[in-house]
Amino acid sequence: MSELIYDVIVVGGGPAGLAAALSAHEYGAQKVLILERDGELGGILNQCIHNGFGLHYFKEELTGPEYAGRFVQMLSGTGIEVRLDTMVLEVDAAQRVVQAVSKTYGYQFLKAKSIVLAMGCRERTRGAIGIPGTRPAGIFTAGTAQRYVNMEGYMVGKRVLILGSGDIGLIMARRMTLEGARVLACVEVMPYSGGLNRNIVQCLEDYDIPLYLSHTIVDIRGSARVEQAVVAQVDADRNPIPGTERVFDCDTILLSVGLIPENELTRTAGIRMDPRTNGAVVYENMETSAPGVFACGNALHVHDLVDYVTEESRRAGAAAAAFAGRDESCTAALEIQNGAGVSYTVPQYVRPENVERRLKLFFRVRRIYRNAVVIVRCGEKQLARYQRDHLAPGEMEHIALPRVLMDRAQGPITVEVQEAEQ
């Protein structure tokens, strides 16, 4: 085992890791290393062959592989080192040491001046949501089905029922239809969709695929393969309503029931976590509670658009480059709290002196709002308000908070949402 010293080590070679590494290099980091467990860079983008990526960042519409390819091309000539097929086993946040293993290099201790955690996220499985019934073949997470169809060339089924209305599930409803399967319905336990409105229109409505809100699967039938799924309406407490059951004859069920940030490394490193996001608690520059360790992308909180992942990760990479060699600890900061109607905010802390002009603050709401107002407070004092025509839990929102307003705050800052007065 040997010890190597880098300015910045980036854990993860997906869109977040690529953007963070390139940004770190641009902001002066001389020795940057990307560690990726897969055999190629790009992460989840490699299986997202549909378009819709890059509209914000590149100002043009790209497919997932095209978006990833842009960043892979940018690596050329930078001197950024990439190690594929490399599994990170542990991150020592205090010493900033990464333990990794690969066929090529064996087991190594890699020393860094700063570390960026960009591991992405994973899907919730059937076991995580506890669907009753038998355990036949034909049940996939939507992302697994996407990889089989788009990358491996396997057709996962012919009569498909989708549970959950996350974006991957909506996109796979369209993809399976285009491949010749019949998508019977998309079933969502909540009274609203968990995906972007544009995906509901383009992937369900354009193909006459019904969306059943406030419904869930209450039974799965079949022995060797899925044969039927029983769907029932649920009440306000998400309990099935007797007498509302309907049976779908299907051979495949796709699960699109939420994403979970990949944070086993973050937790074992002793970094403070936010139970609302399942990601690390971060400051305005994406630094975690461990000085010199930064987090970004879907490992921090689940994003809707890869363009926002890129923007956030570039901020993390720039901060990691600035930190390298300084070994500075976090100074006093203002806490950003979620108020009425808001489920989480990122970042969770801000040091106003580190904000040049304004801070982009991301948040999600708890329910659908039409004609709403976002209010930023410090105690009883209102600092700012932002008008919004539409807010939904499935769509991440953001506001730009001027530094001058944060300088006036004498305590925690609260973000809340209210119905606008008519």
Side-chain angles (χ1 to χ4, degrees):
M1 295 184 290
S2 60
E3 180 179 88
L4 300 176
I5 301 177
Y6 292 86
D7 289 329
V8 180
I9 292 179
V10 179
V11 182
L18 289 169
L22 286 163
S23 180
H25 171 76
E26 291 172 18
Y27 280 86
Q30 298 297 310
K31 194 161 184 155
V32 180
L33 171 65
I34 299 175
L35 301 175
E36 169 56 46
R37 65 186 178 187
D38 206 347
E40 58 184 323
L41 296 171
I44 194 67
L45 290 175
N46 292 323
Q47 67 189 54
C48 300
I49 64 173
H50 55 279
N51 57 19
F53 300 89
L55 290 171
H56 294 271
Y57 191 75
F58 289 111
K59 308 304 180 185
E60 59 180 302
E61 195 170 36
L62 304 171
T63 65
E66 288 172 339
Y67 191 97
R70 294 282 180 95
F71 283 90
V72 173
Q73 289 175 2
M74 292 179 197
L75 291 176
S76 179
T78 63
I80 295 174
E81 185 179 346
V82 177
R83 296 191 184 181
L84 302 175
D85 295 313
T86 300
M87 179 65 72
V88 174
L89 304 177
E90 186 175 327
V91 173
D92 184 333
Q95 301 298 319
R96 292 193 284 281
V97 172
V98 176
Q99 297 181 38
V101 63
S102 69
K103 292 186 295 184
T104 303
Y105 296 96
Y107 196 103
Q108 289 190 301
F109 285 73
L110 303 167
K111 175 70 175 176
K113 296 176 182 178
S114 60
I115 297 171
V116 179
L117 302 176
M119 295 83 65
C121 62
R122 65 177 183 269
E123 296 176 281
R124 294 184 187 276
T125 62
R126 178 180 181 178
I129 58 177
I131 303 174
T134 58
R135 296 291 188 269
I139 304 173
F140 306 89
T141 62
T144 298
Q146 186 181 58
R147 183 178 181 92
Y148 281 151
V149 174
N150 293 347
M151 297 184 68
E152 310 295 339
Y154 294 108
M155 188 63 172
V156 297
K158 297 180 180 179
R159 293 179 60 83
V160 182
L161 182 69
I162 298 176
L163 177 63
S165 59
D167 287 310
I168 300 178
L170 298 175
I171 289 166
M172 281 306 293
R174 176 178 61 188
R175 184 75 178 117
M176 294 298 293
T177 301
L178 293 174
E179 286 295 321
R182 183 181 177 191
V183 179
L184 305 175
C186 182
V187 178
E188 170 60 57
V189 71
M190 300 300 290
Y192 49 79
S193 172
L196 295 171
N197 187 63
R198 75 180 190 192
N199 285 333
I200 297 172
V201 174
Q202 297 173 2
C203 301
L204 296 185
E205 295 178 6
D206 286 356
Y207 295 90
D208 295 322
I209 299 171
L211 171 62
Y212 294 100
L213 300 176
S214 298
H215 283 72
T216 192
I217 295 177
V218 295
D219 193 15
I220 295 175
R221 300 169 181 171
S223 52
R225 178 86 187 194
V226 172
E227 297 173 9
Q228 292 181 329
V230 182
V231 172
Q233 187 176 352
V234 298
D235 59 23
D237 297 321
R238 304 182 203 172
N239 295 316
I241 302 174
T244 63
E245 298 85 358
R246 65 176 70 194
V247 178
F248 289 88
D249 294 322
C250 57
D251 60 16
T252 304
I253 296 174
L254 302 187
L255 305 179
S256 182
V257 290
L259 301 169
I260 305 171
E262 289 268 16
N263 273 308
E264 284 70 24
L265 291 173
T266 314
R267 290 189 179 89
T268 56
I271 291 170
R272 184 182 172 191
M273 305 296 291
D274 188 335
R276 303 169 301 176
T277 61
N278 288 315
V281 170
V282 294
Y283 291 84
E284 74 292 329
N285 63 348
M286 304 295 108
E287 188 175 22
T288 69
S289 60
V293 180
F294 302 79
C296 58
N298 285 342
L300 181 60
H301 60 126
V302 176
H303 292 64
D304 306 323
L305 301 176
V306 71
D307 306 72
Y308 292 153
V309 168
T310 297
E311 180 183 338
E312 179 181 275
S313 302
R314 285 187 55 81
R315 194 191 316 173
F323 185 94
R326 292 202 326 240
D327 196 27
E328 294 180 357
S329 299
C330 296
T331 58
L334 297 173
E335 182 179 4
I336 300 177
Q337 302 175 337
N338 55 295
V342 176
S343 59
Y344 77 75
T345 56
V346 172
Q348 293 87 348
Y349 288 89
V350 58
R351 296 164 289 200
E353 67 272 16
N354 291 345
V355 178
E356 290 186 9
R357 295 183 60 190
R358 56 179 55 87
L359 172 70
K360 181 172 281 191
L361 181 67
F362 290 96
F363 66 96
R364 286 187 188 268
V365 296
R366 295 183 180 278
R367 64 177 179 86
I368 293 177
Y369 289 87
R370 292 180 175 84
N371 191 22
V373 59
V374 181
I375 300 175
V376 181
R377 300 182 185 276
C378 179
E380 297 300 318
K381 182 179 180 181
Q382 180 175 299
L383 300 178
R385 57 190 291 128
Y386 305 82
Q387 192 74 30
R388 291 290 187 272
D389 294 332
H390 176 80
L391 296 171
E395 300 183 20
M396 190 169 66
E397 300 289 338
H398 68 270
I399 55 176
L401 192 61
R403 174 180 170 171
V404 64
L405 297 181
M406 292 182 285
D407 287 336
R408 299 173 187 170
Q410 302 299 315
I413 295 173
T414 301
V415 181
E416 63 182 57
V417 176
Q418 297 179 3
E419 296 282 359
E421 295 181 2
Q422 301 297 323

